[in-house]
């Protein structure tokens, strides 16, 4: 198995020419990890170039058509899975709510019986959801951090397998129906990505078994697989929110480290297919007629934002509301930062004291949370709920069905406001907060109704209690051992916060005119503010919310709110997805380096302890280095005799007759991957030193084992094989990307992100190998350490230079000359660097 870091175990002392202390400190903080990187860079070796040369225009057209068909399959399958999840959640939720309400009416004076029914069914659902995660741990959570890392270039094991997809889909049905504050939209993105990986691979195996050439139908490299996963994730967003454009922007903004125009078009097509399939299935199921309806787009539907009385003269928002958006965005950013920090503390405790104790303890935690949340919801309905009068003529029929009387006399048109919030699905509750208002006759009171001001609809105390409990329970829930999304709970918390803000605004400014005050706008802005404060997404989230509301006029307020929420939240901590990525120590590569780091050069943070191969090493040497290290690639180098006027290239150190201590003897010839070497060994592609070379492998043979290459420990070699020769020149990358030791870190970041690199070799202007840079050397915590040490050393050098100037007996001041650095005055010894050869 390959590794993104270069040296495991004991490290050698390493020095550079300018700051040896800096490099010595730097190497102490590179922690080895077992997470692999993906190979997005194509290897133009001899087999690949021969493979490309056989392609004609007809074959290229066929391959392009095959890709479009594959993207359509992914979109259609994602829509089908989304429909199945939605129907499963709807059926399970109705089963729980209907039975609870039936016993509530039967035992109207004895509340313990329906309470036990409600808690018992919720507990059963939560245990089933946790059982799926116990069977497949990769199905836990929303899956967005995992997909974000995968598209960033990190190969996380088992994340996009079909087994993970099945457990994720079924698990989220039970976790959402169990009453946990989680949504099905986040897991839908993970499900789409798993379909993007599984469908092409499954068809590839099927076509291979049918005897066709797999090269023209299968997936042979990480780049093609990454494209399909990007499209699947976008299709998942499209199905979840009915937002095809938002799905494309999500994959671009939050995930992929490499993008192109063709992929944009194909991903949009895949997202459109997903949205179309889900929309036509939901519309047909609800209306029993085949067709398309706007109200059935996506797993969540915000409803139509329109005037309550149907008038076209009312204003959903005005210019003055932009100031309100800034204020609400700032408060949402603060609330999001508080949510993230509290969840960080809870998750750290969970990692150290719960997850380490096994799957049974994780299931017990889920059971405990399920019981507490169900009991709080049931008790709060009966204690904190208020009987509120509703205007039958001013309330849509669809919303009337969602109102819950819960011991309030229905003959007086009263409903329990807290019961309506807590005893509906989260999506329906969000819709109620967006569109349920009492514009007329809502201030009439009698002995059986609360004396509420106009347009209150929900008692402010009920909203505050609901907000606090939902905030705490959602924060407690995210990260437990069930499939759980984050979008819907955050939207619900934010919408509740928005309605509280609207109530305060109406009380302060005494606004009673429905044509100039629309509470749903503040609920929508509050939802965007809190969600943006938690996840810190901007472009894609703006488009997703605009597409979900189906109202382009909300574009500017939503964008302004999200920008302010992100800016305020970033002052205190990172987005919740990034926090969980850091907690799991996944080496996510940011879009760009910090501007302060621009003084750092490649030689300051590169890895100098190199393991490398000769162009034709012996099998024994190759096996020894593969078993001793976990490196994913090895520079292929030759030696040159350091003589004036030039040097002679040698094939190996024994032939050159020199000791490998001088870096000037090392010349880069190429880069060969561990997977390529293992494939050569598995296929016994080696020869005697005095015998003829074996015929070369084709590109199909070289990639035959993708994506599961053999392990070096599984390869059996005879004693005679140990002395045979492997020819690396045919299979190595003859032109790997290189960078100068003097290149600033900003340029290194640009190369890694724009090209999707896995390795970047540091080569000086003489062609000598100085070191190598991988993802682990570009991690923020490591670069921060390098930057602080560099500043400390520069200050030390500056102070020492000043002391030298002031020393007596030097004959005056020290004159500065061109090409003389402060380190020359310190006379820091430059030890030679030890290199290993095989």
């Amino acid at each position: 198995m390959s590794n993104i870091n270069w040296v495991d175990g004991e490290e050698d002392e390493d020095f550079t020419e300018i700051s040896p202390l800096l490099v010595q400190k730097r190497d102490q903080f590179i922690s080895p990890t077992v997470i692999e990187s993906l190979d997005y860079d194509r290897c133009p070796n001899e087999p690949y170039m021969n493979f490309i040369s056989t392609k004609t225009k007809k074959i290229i057209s066929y391959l392009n058509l095959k890709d479009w068909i594959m993207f359509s399959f992914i979109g259609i399958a994602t829509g089908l899975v989304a429909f199945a999840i939605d129907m499963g959640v709807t059926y399970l939720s109705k089963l729980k709510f209907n039975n609870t309400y039936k016993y509530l009416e039967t035992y109207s004076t004895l509340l313990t019986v329906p309470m036990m029914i409600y808690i018992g069914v919720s507990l059963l659902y939560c245990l089933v959801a946790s059982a799926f995660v116990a069977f497949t741990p990769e199905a836990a959570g929303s899956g967005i951090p995992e997909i974000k890392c995968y598209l960033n270039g990190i190969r996380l094991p088992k994340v996009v397998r079909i087994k993970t997809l099945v457990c994720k889909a079924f698990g989220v049905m039970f976790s959402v129906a169990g009453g946990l504050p989680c949504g099905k939209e986040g897991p839908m993105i993970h499900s789409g990505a798993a379909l993007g990986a599984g469908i092409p691979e499954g068809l590839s195996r099927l076509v291979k078994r049918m005897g066709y050439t797999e090269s023209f139908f299968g997936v042979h490299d990480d780049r093609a697989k990454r494209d399909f996963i990007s499209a699947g994730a976008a299709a998942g967003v499209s199905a979840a929110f009915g937002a095809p454009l938002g799905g494309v922007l999500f994959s671009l903004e939050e995930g992929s480290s490499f993008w192109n125009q063709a992929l944009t078009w194909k991903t949009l097509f895949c997202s459109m297919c997903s949205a179309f399939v889900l929309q036509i299935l939901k519309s047909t199921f609800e209306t029993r007629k085949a067709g398309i309806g706007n109200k059935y787009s996506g797993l969540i539907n915000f409803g139509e934002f329109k005037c309550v009385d149907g008038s076209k003269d009312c204003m959903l928002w005005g210019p003055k509301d932009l100031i309100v958006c800034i204020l609400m965005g700032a408060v949402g950013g603060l609330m999001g930062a508080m949510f993230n920090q509290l969840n960080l503390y809870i998750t750290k405790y969970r990692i150290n004291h719960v997850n380490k104790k096994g799957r049974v303890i994780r299931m017990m935690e889920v059971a405990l949370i399920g019981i507490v949340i169900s009991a709080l919801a049931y008790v709060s309905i009966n204690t904190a709920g208020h009987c509120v009068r509703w205007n039958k003529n001013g309330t849509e029929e669809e919303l009337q069905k969602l109102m819950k009387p819960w011991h309030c006399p229905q003959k007086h048109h009263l409903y329990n406001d807290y019961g309506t919030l807590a005893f509906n699905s989260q999506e329906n509750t969000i819709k109620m907060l967006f569109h349920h208002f009492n514009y007329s006759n809502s201030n009439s009171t009698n002995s059986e109704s609360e004396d509420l001001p106009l347009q209150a609809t929900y008692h402010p105390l009920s909203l505050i209690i609901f907000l606090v409990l939902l905030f705490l329970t959602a924060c407690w829930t995210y990260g437990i051992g069930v499939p759980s999304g984050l979008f819907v709970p955050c939207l619900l918390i934010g919408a509740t916060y928005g309605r509280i803000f609207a109530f305060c605004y109406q009380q302060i400014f005494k606004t009673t005119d429905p044509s100039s005050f629309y509470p749903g706008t503040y609920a929508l802005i509050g939802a965007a503010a809190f969600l943006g404060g938690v996840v810190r997404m901007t472009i894609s989230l703006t488009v997703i919310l605009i597409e979900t509301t189906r109202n382009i006029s909300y574009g500017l307020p939503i964008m302004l709110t999200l920008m302010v929420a992100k800016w305020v939240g970033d002052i205190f901590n990172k987005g919740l997805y990034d926090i969980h990525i850091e907690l799991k120590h996944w080496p996510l590569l940011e879009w760009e380096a910090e501007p302060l780091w621009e003084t750092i050069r490649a030689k300051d943070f590169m890895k100098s302890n190199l393991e490398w191969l000769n162009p034709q090493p012996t099998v024994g040497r190759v096996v020894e280095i593969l078993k001793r290290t976990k490196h994913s690639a090895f520079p292929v180098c030759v030696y040159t005799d350091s003589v004036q006027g030039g040097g002679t290239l040698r094939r190996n150190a024994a032939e050159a007759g020199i000791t490998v201590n001088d870096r000037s003897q090392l010349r880069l010839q190429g880069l060969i991957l561990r997977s390529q070497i293992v494939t050569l060994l598995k296929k016994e592609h080696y020869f005697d030193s005095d015998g003829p070379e074996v015929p070369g492998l084709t590109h199909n043979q070289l990639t035959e084992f993708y994506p599961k290459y053999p392990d070096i420990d599984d390869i059996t070699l005879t004693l005679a094989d140990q002395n045979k020769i492997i020819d690396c020149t045919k299979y190595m990358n003859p032109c790997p990307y290189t960078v100068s030791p003097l290149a600033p870190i900003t340029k290194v970041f640009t190369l890694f992100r724009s090209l999707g690199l896995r390795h970047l070799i540091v080569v000086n202007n003489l062609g000598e190998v100085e070191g190598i840079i991988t993802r682990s050397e570009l991690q923020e915590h490591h670069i921060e350490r390098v930057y602080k040490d560099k500043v400390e050393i520069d200050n030390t050098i500056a102070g020492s230079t000043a002391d030298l100037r002031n020393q007596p007996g030097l004959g005056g001041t020290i004159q500065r000359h061109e090409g003389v650095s402060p380190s020359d005055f310190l006379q820091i010894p430059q030890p030679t660097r030890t290199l290993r050869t095989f």
Side-chain angles (χ1 to χ4, degrees):
M1 183 180 295
S2 58
N3 221 9
I4 66 170
N5 67 304
W6 277 85
V7 175
D8 296 328
E10 184 178 355
E11 304 212 2
D12 297 334
E13 277 195 327
D14 198 6
F15 299 88
T16 62
E17 292 187 357
I18 293 181
S19 53
L21 181 59
L22 173 62
V23 178
Q24 188 177 17
K25 286 187 175 183
R26 176 202 68 202
D27 289 345
Q28 295 173 358
F29 294 97
I30 299 180
S31 59
T33 173
V34 297
I35 301 298
E36 301 179 21
S37 289
L38 295 167
D39 289 313
Y40 290 161
D41 184 27
R42 291 270 167 80
C43 180
N45 52 23
E46 184 177 317
Y48 180 78
M49 300 307 292
N50 292 335
F51 170 72
I52 293 297
S53 64
T54 61
K55 291 186 177 180
T56 63
K57 288 185 177 181
K58 183 178 180 180
I59 293 177
I60 294 175
S61 299
Y62 164 74
L63 292 175
N64 190 41
L65 177 62
K66 179 265 296 183
D67 285 343
W68 283 97
I69 295 175
M70 199 75 72
F71 280 109
S72 67
F73 285 170
I74 295 171
I76 293 171
T78 304
L80 291 173
V81 171
F83 178 74
I85 291 176
D86 188 53
M87 291 298 102
V89 172
T90 301
Y91 175 78
L92 292 173
S93 298
K94 284 184 177 180
L95 186 64
K96 182 181 73 170
F97 288 136
N98 291 343
N99 279 282
T100 303
Y101 213 78
K102 181 179 69 174
Y103 282 96
L104 184 66
E105 293 176 347
T106 304
Y107 301 93
S108 58
T109 58
L110 186 62
L111 298 180
T112 54
V113 174
M115 177 180 176
M116 296 305 296
I117 296 293
Y118 182 78
I119 295 176
V121 175
S122 299
L123 174 60
L124 177 63
Y125 286 173
C126 292
L127 287 175
V128 173
S130 64
F132 281 108
V133 172
F135 180 69
T136 305
E138 293 78 18
S142 67
I144 293 180
E146 287 82 355
I147 299 306
K148 183 176 180 178
C149 288
Y150 202 100
L151 297 179
N152 189 261
I154 306 172
R155 179 183 282 112
L156 300 177
K158 302 179 182 179
V159 166
V160 290
R161 289 187 177 180
I162 296 299
K163 184 176 74 170
T164 304
L165 165 65
V166 173
C167 293
K168 193 86 171 186
F170 282 99
V172 75
M173 294 181 192
F174 287 93
S175 60
V176 173
L180 295 177
C182 57
K184 53 185 180 288
E185 285 71 22
M188 194 60 243
I189 300 173
H190 188 182
S191 300
L195 288 169
I199 290 178
E201 187 173 342
L203 289 178
S204 173
R205 294 178 181 178
L206 177 62
V207 170
K208 185 178 179 181
R209 290 179 181 177
M210 294 172 63
Y212 291 94
T213 306
E214 187 188 5
S215 312
F216 296 153
F217 208 88
V219 180
H220 277 278
D221 52 46
D222 290 332
R223 176 182 293 205
K225 189 173 184 178
R226 183 272 321 275
D227 291 347
F228 290 127
I229 292 176
S230 298
V237 175
S238 177
F241 299 97
L245 293 176
V248 175
L249 291 175
F250 174 85
S251 289
L252 177 60
E253 179 185 8
E254 292 299 313
S256 295
S257 58
F258 177 81
W259 203 262
N260 56 58
Q261 183 179 7
L263 181 59
T264 304
W265 187 236
K266 293 175 182 176
T267 302
L268 179 60
F269 174 70
C270 182
S271 299
M272 289 291 187
C273 290
S274 175
F276 170 77
V277 170
L278 178 61
Q279 194 172 19
I280 196 171
L281 287 175
K282 290 188 66 177
S283 179
T284 303
F285 182 81
E286 295 290 340
T287 64
R288 306 301 178 184
K289 296 179 182 179
I292 300 295
N294 287 333
K295 63 182 296 185
Y296 305 112
S297 60
L299 297 181
I300 182 172
N301 181 19
F302 288 169
E304 184 180 358
F305 287 78
K306 61 180 181 180
C307 302
V308 176
D309 56 0
S311 173
K312 297 183 179 180
D313 298 330
C314 71
M315 295 177 57
L316 297 180
W317 67 278
K320 62 179 176 32
D321 291 323
L322 294 179
I323 300 176
V324 175
C325 291
I326 295 176
L327 177 60
M328 294 187 68
V331 176
L334 288 172
M335 292 175 61
M338 186 188 306
F339 185 94
N340 293 355
Q341 198 64 33
L342 182 59
N343 183 263
L344 173 62
Y345 296 144
I346 295 175
T347 304
K348 283 184 176 180
Y349 180 86
R350 181 176 289 127
I351 291 174
N352 295 327
H353 298 91
V354 177
N355 295 351
K356 291 183 178 180
K357 295 183 179 180
R359 301 178 181 180
V360 176
I361 301 299
R362 294 193 71 183
M363 293 182 66
M364 292 177 62
E365 181 196 20
V366 173
L368 173 64
I369 294 175
I371 293 174
V372 171
I373 291 177
S374 301
L376 282 175
Y378 192 90
V379 172
S380 299
I381 292 174
N382 292 277
T383 57
H386 296 77
C387 292
V388 179
R389 180 179 297 277
W390 57 279
N391 178 22
K392 185 175 181 180
N393 296 326
T395 306
E396 294 183 7
E397 182 179 353
E398 181 182 358
L399 299 181
Q400 293 180 22
K401 297 178 181 179
L402 301 178
M403 295 178 182
K404 306 300 179 183
W406 205 278
H407 302 309
C408 296
Q410 289 183 277
K411 63 181 179 179
H412 297 296
H413 300 299
L414 298 176
Y415 65 94
N416 188 307
D417 58 350
Y418 199 100
T420 301
L421 294 173
F423 215 66
N424 278 304
S425 66
Q426 297 178 79
E427 290 83 357
N428 286 335
T429 303
I430 293 174
K431 189 182 297 185
M432 294 287 289
L433 291 171
F434 283 168
H435 305 292
H436 183 203
F437 322 117
N438 284 335
Y439 277 106
S440 58
N441 299 327
S442 60
N443 58 341
S444 62
T445 61
N446 55 29
S447 59
E448 296 176 325
S449 64
E450 299 287 344
D451 186 11
L452 293 178
L454 183 66
Q455 301 172 358
T457 312
Y458 301 99
H459 196 284
L461 183 59
S462 298
L463 289 174
I464 293 174
I465 295 175
F466 183 74
L467 174 64
V468 173
L469 291 181
L470 183 61
F471 184 95
L472 295 176
T473 54
C475 190
W476 187 17
T477 300
Y478 189 74
I480 63 174
V482 297
S484 58
L486 187 65
F487 277 91
V488 171
C490 288
L491 288 172
L492 182 53
I493 294 171
T496 308
Y497 148 62
R499 286 301 293 265
I500 295 174
F501 185 94
F503 176 83
C504 296
Y505 184 92
Q506 184 267 332
Q507 290 296 295
I508 294 173
F509 295 101
K510 305 300 180 182
T511 303
T512 59
D513 184 9
S515 63
S516 61
F517 181 76
Y518 190 76
T521 295
Y522 297 95
L524 175 63
I525 296 303
F530 184 74
L531 181 58
V534 171
V535 301
R536 312 289 164 79
M537 295 164 55
T538 52
I539 302 175
S540 59
L541 188 55
T542 300
V543 177
I544 288 172
L545 292 177
I546 292 174
E547 289 187 278
T548 308
T549 58
R550 297 193 297 278
N551 194 328
I552 192 64
S553 66
Y554 280 122
L556 181 60
I558 291 175
M559 177 177 289
L560 183 61
T561 303
L562 291 174
M563 289 171 56
V564 175
K566 175 177 171 57
W567 290 340
V568 173
D570 285 342
I571 297 175
F572 302 97
N573 48 39
K574 292 186 176 182
L576 191 58
Y577 296 140
D578 293 325
I579 288 175
H580 278 254
I581 288 172
E582 289 185 354
L583 287 174
K584 296 177 181 179
H585 305 290
W586 293 335
L588 183 74
L589 194 61
E590 299 294 342
W591 274 105
E592 57 186 11
E594 295 289 341
L596 291 177
W597 298 347
E598 196 160 3
T599 57
I600 301 176
R601 300 185 182 273
K603 61 185 177 182
D604 296 327
F605 62 91
M606 68 182 183
K607 196 65 181 176
S608 302
N609 294 332
L610 292 178
E611 301 282 2
W612 58 281
L613 294 172
N614 287 310
Q616 291 185 338
T618 62
V619 172
R621 292 291 188 179
V622 170
V623 172
E624 191 273 334
I625 190 176
L626 291 179
K627 289 186 175 181
R628 183 170 51 83
T629 69
K630 296 295 183 181
H631 303 175
S632 60
F634 304 91
V636 179
C637 304
V638 296
Y639 292 104
T640 176
D641 297 332
S642 298
V643 295
Q644 189 174 2
T648 305
L649 293 179
R650 305 290 187 178
R651 279 297 181 183
N652 52 63
E655 183 183 347
I658 53 179
T659 305
V660 190
N661 285 325
D662 187 2
R663 78 178 68 182
S664 65
Q665 296 172 325
L666 196 61
R667 294 291 188 274
L668 179 67
Q669 298 295 298
L671 184 74
I672 190 166
L673 300 176
R674 183 186 188 93
S675 58
Q676 294 172 335
I677 300 174
V678 172
T679 301
L680 296 177
L681 292 174
K682 182 69 175 179
K683 291 185 172 294
E684 300 181 357
H685 195 74
Y686 37 76
F687 54 91
D688 294 322
S689 57
D690 54 351
E693 295 187 8
V694 294
L697 296 179
T698 64
H699 178 68
N700 290 340
Q701 292 173 328
L702 196 60
T703 58
E704 178 182 348
F705 300 112
Y706 178 85
K708 299 178 182 179
Y709 289 97
D711 190 88
I712 185 62
D713 294 326
D714 299 331
I715 298 177
T716 303
L717 298 171
T718 64
L719 185 61
D721 293 334
Q722 301 289 327
N723 296 323
K724 293 185 177 181
I725 302 296
I726 293 181
D727 187 7
C728 297
T729 57
K730 294 181 180 179
Y731 308 103
M732 68 181 185
N733 184 351
C735 51
Y737 287 99
T738 61
V739 70
S740 168
L742 301 179
I745 190 174
T746 51
K747 178 173 288 188
V748 176
F749 256 89
T750 301
L751 287 172
F752 260 83
R753 284 304 307 242
S754 60
L755 299 175
L757 298 183
R758 185 178 186 181
H759 315 95
L760 187 61
I761 303 175
V762 182
V763 179
N764 61 23
N765 56 355
L766 299 178
E768 301 161 355
V769 178
E770 294 280 341
I772 197 163
I773 299 173
T774 61
R775 183 178 293 266
S776 54
E777 280 76 58
L778 292 173
Q779 293 306 292
E780 181 178 357
H781 64 87
H782 172 55
I783 300 299
E784 281 284 357
R785 179 76 63 176
V786 172
Y787 177 75
K788 292 179 181 179
D789 292 341
K790 183 176 177 64
V791 172
E792 177 185 342
I793 292 170
D794 289 345
N795 292 337
T796 303
I797 292 175
S800 301
T801 304
D803 293 339
L804 286 174
R805 292 197 192 98
N806 298 326
Q807 285 184 8
L810 291 181
T813 59
I814 296 178
Q815 301 295 325
R816 291 190 176 273
H817 299 280
E818 253 188 31
V820 180
S821 66
S823 61
D824 295 328
F825 296 103
L826 294 178
Q827 297 180 353
I828 298 177
Q830 304 298 327
T832 57
R833 189 176 67 173
T834 302
L835 300 176
R836 305 187 186 126
T837 177
F838 297 94

